[in-house]
Amino acid sequence: FTERYVLSSLAYQGYGRKLGREAVQSINDFATQGLKPDLILFLDADPRKLLSRKDQQGERDRLEEAGEDFFFRVNQGYEKELAQCENAVRINANQPPEKVIAEAWQTIKNLLEEKR
């Protein structure tokens, strides 16, 4: 399965929206009933670069409209949470898309080989 919801919820709602990590974690614990991912791929990029890229594409959505401070809080939240994750792999998302995809697939393949 894929995991985006728990880590993203903590970062976006807990830190970005300032709802509090513990409250968001509690809701996620209830919803997931303790289910944990085998692997977390974190596509790491500078929030300023991401917002600039969205501006160039003219595609800001509701979250991007929250502003730079919001995204710095989200990024800090990810950093705090990732520091506690033993199963997270950080991938440099500032690389060309083909390299990001190749690195992600290789990470998944490595995990599957370990699980055999």
Side-chain angles (χ1 to χ4, degrees):
F1 74 93
T2 61
E3 196 283 334
R4 178 174 179 213
Y5 53 94
V6 174
L7 192 59
S8 292
S9 291
L10 291 172
Y12 279 86
Q13 281 73 42
Y15 294 91
R17 297 266 185 235
K18 300 180 183 179
L19 298 179
R21 187 212 182 277
E22 290 74 25
V24 174
Q25 182 67 55
S26 177
I27 292 167
N28 278 287
D29 288 345
F30 174 78
T32 63
Q33 298 179 10
L35 189 62
K36 304 266 189 232
D38 292 326
L39 174 66
I40 296 171
L41 297 176
F42 180 68
L43 304 182
D44 193 8
D46 180 347
R48 274 188 218 116
K49 287 183 182 180
L50 295 175
L51 288 172
S52 174
R53 191 179 307 161
K54 284 291 192 176
D55 286 341
Q56 290 172 356
Q57 296 170 349
E59 297 181 12
R60 277 198 172 201
D61 65 15
R62 171 180 66 84
L63 284 176
E64 281 106 23
E65 292 298 331
E68 200 172 274
D69 289 342
F70 170 78
F71 280 95
F72 279 103
R73 289 192 306 271
V74 169
N75 193 57
Q76 288 175 335
Y78 272 123
E79 292 296 337
K80 287 179 184 177
E81 295 302 318
L82 286 167
Q84 301 173 43
C85 292
E86 296 175 7
N87 60 345
V89 174
R90 188 180 297 262
I91 295 176
N92 178 358
N94 295 313
Q95 304 176 80
E98 302 80 32
K99 285 191 168 203
V100 173
I101 292 166
E103 195 171 328
W105 275 117
Q106 189 59 54
T107 302
I108 293 167
K109 288 176 188 176
N110 292 347
L111 176 70
L112 292 173
E113 287 295 319
E114 289 174 16
K115 296 280 183 180
R116 281 190 187 189

